[in-house]
Amino acid sequence: MSRLIASFIAGPTNVPEKVLAAYNVNYGSADLDKDYLALYLSTEKKLQTILGTSNQVFMQTGEGMLGLWGALKSCLKPGDRVVSVCSGVFGYGIAEMAKTIGAEVRCFELPYHETVGNCSELEKIIAEFKPLMITMVHCETPSGTLNPLGEVARIKKSHGVPLFCVDTVASAGGMPVEADKFLIDLCLNGSQKCLSAPPDMTFVAVSDKAWEIIDRVNYQGYDAFKPFKNATTDFYFPNTMYWQGLAGLSAAAGLILEEGLEQVYDRHIQAQSYCLSRIKQMGLECFAGPTAIKSPSVTAVNLPAGISWPELDRRCRERGLAVAGSYGPLAGKVFRIGHMGTQADLKLLETGLNILESVL
Ligand code: PLP
């Protein structure tokens, strides 16, 4: 592959030097050395701040999908009821995953270019179906959309739904998640999007209610959450922990907090505005519909007439630019410009969007 001048793949993102440096160390044994425990606990604090939660946050080797599967398998037994908010590839995907576990799933379906707005139908489904869990995706990365959490959190509370499980993989660290304010019981994340660490760590904020259910379900697989409940108090992790990965995640979270959450969020908004205005100038059209909320971490653009996705990709890469295609029903129809984490940089975006303009 030729050297890239600018990469706007919607994760993984370029990893800053300080994060890379954290990998370049021979650490001791995470099973035996108390320094690992200290790093684990201090990283947990940083991630709690980023997620806006006082719930326990545990970290495990593996990327975002590990947390998604682990949450569903750890909380659901066959026959349990789930209502899934489906507005994109990951929302529909999580509903399918819950079905494979044997859960009875009802979907609140929205077109891929829309975001959660009027929730009266969702409320009706929840009132009738009385689910154990509501699932939802905050940022639908393949569509560049952002589902607001407030109204669904209100419905969870007023109908006494035990678990609200939210995929914040492509939002946390780039915009407010506020897991406690929005009553999120399982807040699922990966290291490779707005945190700009390599794709090797998953981290999940788990509420007391979720731990209670996890304990009862007693799922024992490799992706099980249960062993992490007392892992730090007992200093006993279920497998050999990845010290370099944790150190990288800690450094990445540290960079966000050093910059300041408000500044980081503002940088993402500025990157998004710049991207949207350049797209408009180029005569391109956003995939997200006029009433949808667009995500500050990624913009999905309708592929213009007269060029296929493989051709656009080839021409961009020839000039040193990588943008992303999309998935599922959006494959070949939409391309995406990530502006998450280290990509939320106006100079870098200017370079990349100049290349895109010349290609088009
Ligand atoms: N959830 C969302 C919204 C994503 O965009 C992704 C990855 O693109 C994932 C989950 C899965 O994360 P990973 O690819 O790190 O396993």
Side-chain angles (χ1 to χ4, degrees):
M1 191 176 81
S2 60
R3 206 180 69 80
L4 290 174
I5 299 165
S7 173
F8 297 105
I9 303 293
T13 50
N14 277 353
V15 179
E17 284 299 328
K18 271 197 178 165
V19 176
L20 287 175
Y23 282 79
N24 206 14
V25 175
N26 273 314
Y27 296 102
S29 162
D31 295 335
L32 304 172
D33 194 330
K34 284 270 167 74
D35 285 352
Y36 178 78
L37 190 58
L39 179 67
Y40 198 95
L41 292 170
S42 66
T43 310
E44 178 183 14
K45 281 212 167 62
K46 292 178 191 173
L47 296 173
Q48 284 171 323
T49 306
I50 290 172
L51 299 176
T53 187
S54 56
N55 288 336
Q56 185 180 342
V57 176
F58 79 85
M59 295 142 271
Q60 163 68 308
T61 317
E63 27 55 59
M65 287 311 294
L66 178 75
L68 269 58
W69 275 115
L72 298 177
K73 288 194 189 166
S74 296
C75 295
L76 299 174
K77 295 185 305 316
D80 281 341
R81 292 180 169 191
V82 173
V83 169
S84 291
V85 177
C86 299
S87 68
V89 172
F90 284 94
Y92 282 93
I94 290 172
E96 288 306 312
M97 288 157 68
K99 282 181 200 166
T100 67
I101 297 167
E104 221 186 300
V105 182
R106 293 264 167 93
C107 294
F108 172 59
E109 299 191 42
L110 295 168
Y112 283 52
H113 60 275
E114 280 182 16
T115 48
V116 166
N118 182 340
C119 286
S120 54
E121 193 197 322
L122 174 67
E123 186 154 17
K124 210 168 128 217
I125 297 172
I126 286 173
E128 281 168 17
F129 194 54
K130 300 191 182 2
L132 171 73
M133 178 189 278
I134 304 170
T135 69
M136 179 160 169
V137 177
H138 194 205
C139 167
E140 272 287 359
T141 332
S143 331
T145 53
L146 188 74
N147 282 310
L149 299 165
E151 186 56 7
V152 183
R154 181 196 67 74
I155 295 170
K156 168 206 152 69
K157 189 174 180 191
S158 70
H159 292 270
V161 179
L163 296 176
F164 188 22
C165 176
V166 183
D167 171 341
T168 56
V169 169
S171 57
M175 63 206 78
V177 165
E178 300 185 277
D180 285 357
K181 177 176 166 191
F182 295 120
L183 312 174
I184 301 175
D185 296 281
L186 296 140
C187 187
L188 317 175
N189 299 281
S191 49
Q192 51 133 326
K193 306 271 184 194
C194 300
L195 273 100
S196 292
D200 56 15
M201 296 294 287
T202 193
F203 55 99
V204 184
V206 184
S207 72
D208 290 346
K209 183 71 196 172
W211 281 126
E212 198 187 300
I213 290 168
I214 289 164
D215 203 44
R216 218 166 44 228
V217 170
N218 201 25
Y219 168 62
Q220 300 287 342
Y222 179 63
D223 50 359
F225 284 7
K226 187 169 171 171
F228 288 91
K229 171 86 172 81
N230 298 318
T232 56
T233 42
D234 298 348
F235 192 24
Y236 189 81
F237 291 92
N239 44 35
T240 304
M241 293 288 101
Y242 180 32
W243 199 325
Q244 278 82 358
L246 179 69
L249 181 60
S250 180
L255 287 177
I256 289 178
L257 296 177
E258 270 167 39
E259 186 179 343
L261 284 176
E262 289 312 316
Q263 284 79 359
V264 170
Y265 299 158
D266 188 53
R267 179 161 55 76
H268 281 76
I269 294 285
Q270 284 187 34
Q272 178 193 27
S273 311
Y274 179 71
C275 187
L276 291 174
S277 74
R278 287 294 303 269
I279 279 164
K280 199 168 167 203
Q281 278 164 21
M282 288 182 226
L284 297 169
E285 200 181 59
C286 250
F287 170 71
T291 57
I293 302 172
K294 299 178 189 81
S295 175
S297 56
V298 53
T299 294
V301 183
N302 287 331
L303 202 69
I307 188 164
S308 68
W309 160 246
E311 183 59 14
L312 178 68
D313 187 36
R314 191 187 61 76
R315 287 197 213 163
C316 286
R317 281 175 186 271
E318 263 175 17
R319 291 165 174 81
L321 169 69
V323 291
S326 195
Y327 299 104
L330 310 187
K333 296 182 183 146
V334 158
F335 75 96
R336 293 174 300 153
I337 299 160
H339 31 80
M340 54 178 72
T342 48
Q343 296 166 334
D345 173 324
L346 290 182
K347 274 242 152 311
L348 189 69
L349 273 165
E350 186 183 6
T351 306
L353 290 165
N354 286 346
I355 299 174
L356 179 65
E357 190 165 37
S358 74
V359 164
L360 291 170

